[in-house]
Structure formats: C-alpha cells, structure tokens
Amino acid sequence: MQDPLVLIIDDEESMRDSCSQILLKGRYRVETAPDGTTGIQKIRDLLPDAVIVDLKMPGISGFEVLKNLRLIDPLIMAIVVTGYATVESAVEAMKEGAYDFLPKPFTPEELRMILSRALEHRRLALEAEKLRREKKLLEDNVITMVSHQLRSPLVAIQQYFEVILSDIAGRVEDKPKEMIRRASERLTGLLNLINDWLDLARIDQGRLVGKLKPLDPGKMMRKLVEFMTPLAKEFEVTLEWSGPAGPNFEVLGDEETLEQVFTNLISNAIAYNKPQGRVRIGLREDPDFVIIEVQDTGIGISQEHLPFIFDQFFQVSRREGKKMKGSGLGLSIAKKIVEAHDGRIDVSSELGIGSTFTVRIPKVRREADPA
Amino acid sequence: MTTIAPKILVIDDDPDFRTAVTAILASASYDVIAADNAAEGKNKILAERPNLILLDIMMDGLFDGFSLCHSVKTAKEFESVRTTPIIFLSAVKNIAGDRFGFKGEEQGMVGPDDYIDKPVASADLLARIDRLLKR
C-alpha cells in the first residue's frame, strides 16, 4: 500500500514549500500546483487522496477548484486554507464539498491533525462504497444462483420424464406412464412457482421492470395476439383483436414485463373461458392513457372474490378437464408490473358471463401537447 | 451408398440433461457428441465439425454461451465452421431473448439460429433441428 498522496494548490511558493516539508515528515507523498488551472489538471491526472487548496488565488479561485474536484471524484478530501478567514467563506467552502477549513496561520500539528481526520473519513467512505457494491453484486448473484440451482435439477428430471413418455427409452406400460405424466405435471407447476417467486423477489428489488423506453403498444399487442392464437385454438376459443392497424401512440414501457402482463391476462382469459368462447382484446386511448382491455366470455368472478383477485396465491377453481399450470402469483405480479409503469389495472366481472381486465398505461407526453 | 448420419454437438454442463437429450437425438438416428463447458465446446466444434450445435447458455457465466455463439459466427478461427446452425437451450425463461428479439444484440453480439426452452419437448426439438439441417 502506497502512502497517501496529497496535492497542495497555492499561489504562494513559501506556502507550498512549508506544507510539503510538514507533510513529507509525516509519511505522505506530496505534489504541488501554483494555480487553480494546474491544480485541476493534476487532480484529474493524479487522483490524489486529499487536496489542500488556498481559497484566494489569482485566476481560478479555490471555490472553482472545489467545484471541479467534486465532479471529478467526491471522495477526494479537500481542506481549504486561507488568510482571509471569515464565517461566510468557511460556510461557502463546506457547501462546495470541502471536508474542513484551516485558517492561516496554522501550526504543523494542526495541519497534520486535520489531514489525518480527512483521510480517515475518506477511508471509511471508500469502504462503505465497496460494501454497497458487493451487496448489490451478491443480491444479483443470489437471485441468479437460486434461480439456476433450483431450476437445474427440476429441468433434468423433466427432461428424463419427457424421454420416457415419448417411448424413446423403451416401451412403458400405461399405468406407470400415467403416473410419470402426472408427476411431470406437478413438476411443471413447481417450476412455474419458482419462476413467479423469483419474479416477485426481483420486482420488490426494483429489478424486474427494466428501463422504460418508448414503445408502440399496438405493435406489441398484435404480436402477442398472434403468439397466443395456437393456445386459443387448443381451448376452442376465438381471439378477437380491435385496435389501430398502423404505428400509433407511444407509451414509456419495458417491453418484456408488459408482454408478461398481457400474456398472463390473455392466457387466463383463454383458460377460464367456456367452450367456443371468445376473448376480445382491444386497444384505445384517452387524453392521458393508452387503455388495453382483455375481455372474456368465461366463468366470471363472483363479487365476493373480486376484491382479492390481485392478491398473491389467490386462485379461483378451474374449468373442468383442462388444467392450467399457474401458481396463483400471475395477477399479483401483473399488478406490480403495471404499477411500476405508473399505470393501473382494474377488473370487472359477472359470474357466469365473463370478465374484463382493463390496463391503463400513461402516454408519453409529446412536445406539442399543451402543458 | 450409405449416407453418414448428421452429427450434433451438445454443449451443456448438466450430465443428466446431456443423457436425456442424447437419447432423443439418437432416437432420430443422429450421431451425438458432447462437451460440458464452452472451452471444450470450442475445441470439439473445430475438431469434429458437427452439422449442428445445441448450446446451453446457462453454464459458468451467462456470456459464455453468448460469446461462443458470436465467435462461431464471426471470428476468423471459426471461418471454416461459420455456417453451422446453433440452437440456444435455456432453462431460464427469456434470458437470451426469444422470437421477439435477441438480447445480446445490445452488446453487439450475433445471435443463434433458434431458441428452445428447457425442458425440451422431443418432437419440438427434432422438428427445429430438421428445419435447420434442411436449410
């Protein structure tokens, strides 16, 4: 570990010399600069641990140096010295980020003490920064690791089951085959649960919804409707889309998570539907929001259940015959994602008739819009 | 004249997954070789010249798989095998992207020819391989 580097910025040669001598005795490395401009350049080039700067200098003042120092690295400690010590200049210097203020004349002891405190402060601040970074890295890694550690064995088991069920590993009797098939379904449920829990963990850390960028909601929904058509066919349900045909109004959104929301709403609308039922997906706008509706002719939700529909783990009993693989977390995740977009999600429903989920996402304010 | 069976290279660090997938590929009469990490994968690509590569992208580091794919498709040392189709295998949904877009694009990386989620449905995997080999 090298000795700490201290940069002395003062227009008076005698000051630079005497400070240097004091510091060199105290096991510091020393650099000097005769004016603010050279001082700032040396800060950039050398990145010292501390700077001792005179407030009043011809050309660029000590205040200017402080301002620049903060922009270069706020963890470099600045000690301001001046022969014109006033309360105002002291306060001003502290506001500009100086660690402390040393009025001239000062003794070598005073200089060494102040510097020692400043460097201790810097050491602690650097340590805190390092711990913050490590914590973040750990959190990121834990999520990824947990995700991988939990999924890998399940995936391997599922893959073996898939091979057995495809008769690739040899003929399997009906009874054991059926049991393996059921076991596989339960594993799929577990995998979905893990995915959803990890989504929730990430969303709570603000890590699920990525940076919001301008996106065309119509384009996104058209893609999704196309993607979900095979599933609808499987359930004998028709998907209807009504929305703008061409490129249209924009919202600020994270495409991946919004897709997740609507995939969830549409697959629910399909799965909770009646045979030969319909799912109508519509997109329209009002002055402030883009409004996307997913309406189904399904079994509906009773008024007593309606307030809880977005709660975690809440599940209404399913349609006979077809098993969906949900975890009960889908709608609570959807709600959090929509809220992370500053949007709203609402539901209206009538038992036996159907449900309508309405998502509102704020539109991007354009320059031309009135304030 | 007998035709030589197409050779498929499986790069995946999970031995059970490799066993299961090998069974699927063998049932369709493909010749299967395996590697359990990106480095070994690289060597086998050059040494064995497979007709197609199945690449798990959740091995040691996420970018191991991404950068291997990018190398094969762009680097000089892989020029002779550049056109080998690559399918990403992913156990973590959406981590690499999907039909909606390759996420490595932001890093300037070249993506795979197809994606498939693990666990793979045998019919689905075989259909995608068939499609790429017929190109």
Side-chain angles (χ1 to χ4, degrees), chain A residues 35-108:
Chain A
D35 58 71
T37 315
T38 317
I40 293 171
Q41 192 54 54
K42 283 205 169 180
I43 290 170
R44 281 213 182 91
D45 295 338
L46 303 170
L47 292 177
D49 298 281
V51 173
I52 298 171
V53 56
D54 184 13
L55 267 192
K56 275 216 166 64
M57 294 185 288
I60 295 194
S61 73
F63 287 116
E64 278 304 305
V65 172
L66 288 177
K67 282 199 180 90
N68 279 276
L69 176 59
R70 212 195 221 158
L71 292 173
I72 295 168
D73 184 352
L75 290 185
I76 296 177
M77 300 289 108
I79 296 163
V80 153
V81 291
T82 181
Y84 305 92
T86 62
V87 175
E88 287 87 8
S89 50
V91 167
E92 188 62 37
M94 302 301 272
K95 276 194 191 162
E96 289 299 346
Y99 173 77
D100 211 340
F101 190 88
L102 186 59
K104 298 186 213 185
F106 50 81
T107 67

Side-chain angles (χ1 to χ4, degrees), chain A residues 295-309:
Chain A
Q295 183 183 51
D296 64 66
T297 55
I299 59 181
I301 305 157
S302 70
Q303 292 310 306
E304 61 169 309
H305 287 150
L306 215 48
F308 305 105
I309 203 80

Side-chain angles (χ1 to χ4, degrees), chain A residues 110-124:
Chain A
E110 282 167 341
L111 178 60
R112 277 194 285 260
M113 277 214 47
I114 243 185
L115 189 54
S116 157
R117 278 194 293 110
L119 289 172
E120 178 60 15
H121 178 85
R122 173 175 160 82
R123 188 186 72 80
L124 291 172

Side-chain angles (χ1 to χ4, degrees), chain A residues 216-228:
Chain A
D216 180 342
K219 188 168 172 216
M220 179 185 75
M221 294 306 298
R222 285 194 297 275
K223 240 177 10 181
L224 273 179
V225 168
E226 192 190 315
F227 187 57
M228 303 290 297

Side-chain angles (χ1 to χ4, degrees), chain A residues 5-49:
Chain A
L5 176 62
V6 181
L7 172 66
I8 303 167
I9 307 173
D10 198 315
D11 56 317
E12 273 177 71
E13 191 177 351
S14 55
M15 258 303 287
R16 295 198 300 273
D17 284 347
S18 51
C19 280
S20 292
Q21 290 202 8
I22 295 171
L23 296 184
L24 286 168
K25 283 209 189 89
R27 299 208 52 206
Y28 294 105
R29 290 178 297 138
V30 176
E31 287 279 337
T32 64
D35 58 71
T37 315
T38 317
I40 293 171
Q41 192 54 54
K42 283 205 169 180
I43 290 170
R44 281 213 182 91
D45 295 338
L46 303 170
L47 292 177
D49 298 281

Side-chain angles (χ1 to χ4, degrees), chain B residues 85-96:
Chain B
I86 298 178
I87 302 180
F88 273 0
L89 298 169
S90 168
V92 184
K93 73 172 182 197
N94 276 339
I95 199 113

